[in-house]
Every structure is written in C-alpha cells, then in structure tokens.
Amino acid sequence: GVPGNPRQARRYEGWNLWWRWVLAMTGGELVGFAVPAIVGAVVAGLNLPQIALMVSVVLAGIGEGAVLGTAQWLALRRSIEKMRWQEWVAPTALAAGFAWVIGMTPSTFVDFSTTAPAVLVSGGIVLGILFVLSMGGAQWLVLRRYVPRAGWWIAANAIAWPAGVAMPFITLGLIPDDASVPVMIVAGIVGGVLMGIVVGAITGVALVRLLRTSAPGVK
C-alpha cells in the first residue's frame, strides 16, 4: 500500500519528470560509471589477477550505484515527496554491486575452453535473469510503498538495462586491444553516458506512466 496521504506522498509532473529523470540518469552515470571505468582500467593496466579486478570493480560498482541512486532520488523527490534519500540509494547501490558481481563472474571463475556448452548456456541464462531483475527488483521494494502497480518498474528495468549496458561494450569494443589506460577510461565514460541516456529514456517512460495512473485526480 501507499503510506500516509497519497496527495502528499506523490505528485504527477508529466514529461517534466521524464526530462529530469533522463538528465539525472545521464549525469549519474557520467559521474558514477567513471568510478568502475577508472578502477577497472587502472587495475587491468597493472596486470593484477582477475579476482583482484573483480573485487575492485564490484566495490567501485557499489560506489557507482550510490552516485546513480542519489541522482535518481534528486529527480524523484518532487514527485514522491516522502521518499528518503537512504531509502532509495542503499538498495540501488547494492543492486549495482550485485550486477557487477554477475557481470564479472564468468570471466573470473569460468574456463570457457573446458566447461561443457550446456553448463555455459544454463549458467548464462541464470546470470542473465538475475542481472535483468536486480536493479528493478531492488528499487521496486521501495517504489511499491508509494506507487500502486509498481511491479511494472521491474519490467521496464529488465528491458532498459540490457540495452543500456550494451553501450559501454560498444564504445570499448571500438578501441584497439592495446589502447592506453586514458583511452580506455574515456571510452568507458562515454559508454556510461550513453548507458544513462538509454536506460533513463526507457525507464523514464515507465515512471511517468506509473505516476500518471496513480496520482490522485490525474487522468
């Protein structure tokens, strides 16, 4: 249910919210994704063991999630006035770290040359499902307290994040394998910005629709 007086808990702002959300996602990923991009490039450049890279990037990913969650909360707080900063940011940061765990697990622990194809396929399916549900599921636990039918938020994020995560892979894939650390960092940051735009645009539509159908007196 929605706690308290719903007229005080949430307010519909239409497409102004969409623009604010996309800008928040873009800015949040510009700053947030720079953290794992820099950490990952530096650790990779030092030729440290893969497990060291994974641990470093996962911790940086939690920082990314905290930055992104803060940007999202700043965009949301005028529409969902009672939502507290830590209430939204904590699950967002943990979900981001969990997503990085999922993303780094295959390259860290799996020997693709000796693992059976059936294991690779089934494991990939499981990890893929966990990935697409992680961010939306974590934030749904918060959003459902304020917005009816918040389950649609999980579906929107399940569509948006795979499309968004493809952006850094594309930008990093465009640079040569022997690229310098600064070039890798720039490519990663550009990919992060594009990821923020893509995810923000898709989830922003869902957010506007959720607020429109749940805010009192809004048709």
Side-chain angles (χ1 to χ4, degrees):
V2 177
N5 185 341
R7 292 184 181 273
Q8 297 175 357
R10 60 192 189 273
R11 181 158 53 94
Y12 178 66
E13 293 186 281
W15 293 103
N16 288 333
L17 171 61
W18 184 86
W19 282 108
R20 195 165 69 245
W21 180 259
V22 173
L23 289 174
M25 285 291 304
T26 304
E29 285 295 357
L30 170 61
V31 178
F33 195 74
V35 180
I38 293 171
V39 169
V42 170
V43 174
L46 294 174
N47 293 317
L48 296 178
Q50 184 67 20
I51 187 66
L53 176 62
M54 178 178 179
V55 172
S56 301
V57 170
V58 168
L59 292 176
I62 294 174
E64 173 198 0
V67 172
L68 178 63
T70 298
Q72 290 178 333
W73 177 78
L74 290 172
L76 276 174
R77 63 178 180 171
R78 287 196 341 215
S79 298
I80 306 178
E81 297 164 356
K82 289 186 175 182
M83 183 185 291
R84 293 168 295 135
W85 172 80
Q86 65 271 25
E87 184 182 8
W88 182 262
V89 172
T92 302
L94 292 176
F98 181 65
W100 277 105
V101 169
I102 295 171
M104 296 294 293
T105 291
S107 60
T108 304
F109 298 110
V110 178
D111 186 343
F112 291 91
S113 63
T114 59
T115 305
V119 175
L120 292 176
V121 171
S122 58
I125 291 173
V126 171
L127 291 178
I129 292 173
L130 290 174
F131 173 79
V132 299
L133 296 179
S134 57
M135 184 62 74
Q139 293 182 336
W140 165 78
L141 293 173
V142 181
L143 202 58
R144 66 183 181 139
R145 302 170 192 164
Y146 300 95
V147 181
R149 295 182 292 278
W152 286 105
W153 188 245
I154 300 177
N157 278 268
I159 295 170
W161 279 105
V165 167
M167 297 299 106
F169 282 100
I170 292 173
T171 57
L172 289 170
L174 293 175
I175 63 175
D177 293 337
D178 59 350
S180 64
V181 170
V183 171
M184 293 171 62
I185 291 173
V186 170
I189 292 174
V190 170
V193 170
L194 294 175
M195 177 168 61
I197 294 173
V198 170
V199 176
I202 297 172
T203 55
V205 172
L207 193 60
V208 168
R209 292 182 66 86
L210 283 173
L211 268 293
R212 182 175 68 189
T213 56
S214 65
V218 175
K219 301 295 185 181

